[in-house]
Amino acid sequence: GEDVEQSLFLSVREGDSSVINCTYTDSSSTYLYWYKQEPGAGLQLLTYIFSNMDMKQDQRLTVLLNKKDKHLSLRIADTQTGDSAIYFCAESRDTGGFKTIFGAGTRLFVKA
Amino acid sequence: DSGVTQTPKHLITATGQRVTLRCSPRSGDLSVYWYQQSLDQGLQFLIQYYNGEERAKGNILERFSAQQFPDLHSELNLSSLELGDSALYFCASSAGFGLAGVETQYFGPGTRLLVL
């Protein structure tokens, strides 16, 4: 199948860390992504990780990939109210073209 | 601002009608991608064009078609519209022909289509 699954909601307090989880099914996925969508806006690429990497860190963002379990997570350190958005996990595979499969998105609520 | 523009921002039409959504990619980007975001289906990849030619196809209905013009802007045509076609349609662009994961896709703000 082509499923990418995420939990739908996450609520954290300002200053805490947020961890958003994602599972995917296609072992041939070569790249995995996290996108952020703020209300009324398009998707913004936050970060991506190659399938041969275990971890990638970019400022407050840490991506962990467990390829064996097909599990991807995004950790946001020191979560701020401006981080409130929907976060999409996505995976892509080279099928002769560029095909990206998105999860349903996790809505992050940050409480002040 | 991603540099990708889409028009119109909102579109309201009736079942059975046909509409055209327009996308202008970032300056210099050769690939354009179309996505549909609906409440029940989530974000679905529809189709990709690279330098005027179709490159990859996703879950695009036969009632839908797209093209990319010599100036690299793209149009998504939706015909015989049904209530279920109501959704947010995103366009994205990337610099090259989209080797999986190598290129960042930049998304436009979307066109919100409401079919009544």
Side-chain angles (χ1 to χ4, degrees), chain A residues 2 30-31 33 35 37 40-45 48 50 86 88 92-104, chain B residues 33 35 37 42-45 48 55-59 88 90 97-110:
Chain A
E2 294 189 334
T30 49
Y31 296 86
Y33 310 82
Y35 284 85
Q37 184 181 28
L43 277 74
Q44 173 196 357
L45 179 65
Y48 66 89
F50 301 158
I86 301 176
F88 289 91
S92 71
R93 57 196 81 145
D94 190 354
T95 61
F98 186 62
K99 187 174 180 182
T100 304
I101 309 298
F102 287 81
Chain B
Y33 311 77
Y35 295 85
Q37 185 179 35
L43 192 61
Q44 301 276 324
F45 166 68
Q48 177 202 354
R55 169 128 179 103
K57 214 165 189 176
N59 301 321
L88 194 54
F90 285 109
F97 59 88
L99 279 177
V102 173
E103 294 168 6
T104 298
Q105 290 184 34
Y106 295 88
F107 281 74

Side-chain angles (χ1 to χ4, degrees), chain B:
Chain B
D1 183 3
S2 66
V4 179
T5 60
Q6 290 186 248
T7 56
K9 286 187 179 178
H10 303 277
L11 197 49
I12 301 175
T13 189
T15 54
Q17 295 297 306
R18 172 189 169 94
V19 296
T20 298
L21 312 184
R22 184 187 167 101
C23 169
S24 293
R26 290 188 325 150
S27 177
D29 281 1
L30 297 177
S31 275
V32 170
Y33 311 77
W34 286 99
Y35 295 85
Q36 179 194 58
Q37 185 179 35
S38 60
L39 285 175
D40 57 344
Q41 294 289 324
L43 192 61
Q44 301 276 324
F45 166 68
L46 296 179
I47 198 164
Q48 177 202 354
Y49 277 82
Y50 169 72
N51 204 20
E53 294 190 3
E54 183 183 305
R55 169 128 179 103
K57 214 165 189 176
N59 301 321
I60 188 166
L61 300 173
E62 285 193 10
R63 299 184 286 110
F64 296 179
S65 65
Q67 53 184 330
Q68 186 179 29
F69 295 87
D71 67 352
L72 301 176
H73 90 271
S74 177
E75 292 181 355
L76 179 67
N77 300 298
L78 314 176
S79 61
S80 303
L81 284 167
E82 302 174 1
L83 296 178
D85 297 327
S86 295
L88 194 54
Y89 290 85
F90 285 109
C91 165
S93 73
S94 70
F97 59 88
L99 279 177
V102 173
E103 294 168 6
T104 298
Q105 290 184 34
Y106 295 88
F107 281 74
T111 293
R112 188 172 294 278
L113 174 66
L114 180 59
V115 182
L116 299 175

Side-chain angles (χ1 to χ4, degrees), chain A residues 2-110:
Chain A
E2 294 189 334
D3 290 342
V4 175
E5 295 189 353
Q6 308 175 232
S7 53
L8 292 181
F9 300 98
L10 176 65
S11 179
V12 300
R13 291 191 179 278
E14 192 175 20
D16 288 351
S17 291
S18 307
V19 179
I20 303 172
N21 294 302
C22 168
T23 58
Y24 60 98
T25 57
D26 195 318
S27 57
S28 66
S29 297
T30 49
Y31 296 86
L32 297 118
Y33 310 82
W34 286 103
Y35 284 85
K36 177 183 181 182
Q37 184 181 28
E38 297 184 66
L43 277 74
Q44 173 196 357
L45 179 65
L46 286 179
T47 186
Y48 66 89
I49 188 169
F50 301 158
S51 59
N52 62 357
M53 295 171 64
D54 298 323
M55 186 186 85
K56 181 177 180 181
Q57 187 153 3
D58 184 1
Q59 300 181 333
R60 292 191 297 123
L61 306 179
T62 302
V63 178
L64 295 178
L65 174 60
N66 181 329
K67 195 172 180 182
K68 174 175 170 288
D69 294 337
K70 299 188 184 68
H71 182 265
L72 183 74
S73 68
L74 173 69
R75 179 176 180 270
I76 305 173
D78 187 25
T79 312
Q80 303 297 306
T81 54
D83 294 325
S84 293
I86 301 176
Y87 291 81
F88 289 91
C89 167
E91 53 100 358
S92 71
R93 57 196 81 145
D94 190 354
T95 61
F98 186 62
K99 187 174 180 182
T100 304
I101 309 298
F102 287 81
T106 298
R107 187 177 291 274
L108 176 64
F109 295 95
V110 182

